[in-house]
Amino acid sequence: AEFDPSSPGTAAGEQDHRGSIMREFESYERFIEGMKIASDGARHMARYADPEQWNRYADFLDQVRRAMVQLAGFDRPEDARVSLQQFGGEGISRTAALSRIRTGLDGASAGARQIAQAQRMDLRWQIRANHIDTLRNKANQMALASSPLSVASAWGGGNATLQ
């Protein structure tokens, strides 16, 4: 069972030990679950920062997910269901919510790339994966702007670059 990278591949995948086969539906589920996790994290962030902004962001993540459900063509209505807004009550911490957004969007991007590059060879999925990376960066910027640890640029004298 020793792995020798210079040995030729075998016909039987289970004896090759070079990885596992991921089917298209598993990549699709990775995308869907990632988008759901990210949307849920954005709904929880509405407790700690601007609720309107984070709920709009979660709504947009849901729209992206619904568009990709239609593109995939698997016809599972539960995948297109809208995430629910959070109103008060017990929730997860700010750090956990941001972590959910990050890990969800990373998983969704990876699932879309797997479909684009390994299963369908479809440029639309690659474009969507790049778009998800942009959404992840946007969430990071929104979180930094509303961080309770942010300091005013004029604090202590000087400007923002000197601080």
Side-chain angles (χ1 to χ4, degrees):
E2 295 294 321
F3 177 67
D4 182 13
S6 62
S7 68
T10 61
E14 62 272 6
Q15 295 175 357
D16 198 11
H17 302 293
R18 291 179 191 245
S20 62
I21 297 171
M22 181 167 271
R23 291 173 179 77
E24 180 181 353
F25 190 72
E26 293 169 347
S27 298
Y28 167 77
E29 284 183 328
R30 185 176 186 188
F31 173 81
I32 294 299
E33 289 304 314
M35 292 300 285
K36 285 181 180 179
I37 289 169
S39 181
D40 182 58
R43 299 285 186 195
H44 282 283
M45 272 303 293
R47 290 189 170 110
Y48 303 104
D50 183 12
E52 184 179 334
Q53 181 183 26
W54 283 104
N55 279 318
R56 269 198 329 259
Y57 183 77
D59 289 338
F60 187 73
L61 292 177
D62 288 339
Q63 288 175 2
V64 170
R65 181 170 40 89
R66 284 195 305 269
M68 297 312 286
V69 164
Q70 290 176 350
L71 179 63
F74 285 115
D75 293 330
R76 288 189 356 172
E78 65 269 13
D79 293 340
R81 190 172 302 136
V82 178
S83 62
L84 300 175
Q85 292 187 17
Q86 304 290 330
F87 296 101
E90 292 296 318
I92 60 178
S93 69
R94 177 186 171 90
T95 306
L98 290 172
S99 178
R100 286 192 125 202
I101 295 170
R102 175 69 186 219
T103 57
L105 291 177
D106 283 343
S109 175
R113 278 198 176 80
Q114 287 170 344
I115 293 173
Q117 297 172 358
Q119 287 126 358
R120 288 194 182 183
M121 301 295 184
D122 190 350
L123 184 62
R124 293 175 294 183
W125 284 91
Q126 182 65 40
I127 291 170
R128 188 59 68 204
N130 293 340
H131 185 232
I132 291 169
D133 290 341
T134 304
L135 288 173
R136 184 190 61 223
N137 295 340
K138 175 66 175 167
N140 190 32
Q141 291 171 358
M142 288 168 40
L144 287 175
S146 66
S147 172
L149 302 176
S150 64
V151 178
S153 63
W155 182 75
N159 56 25
T161 58
L162 294 176
Q163 302 226 354

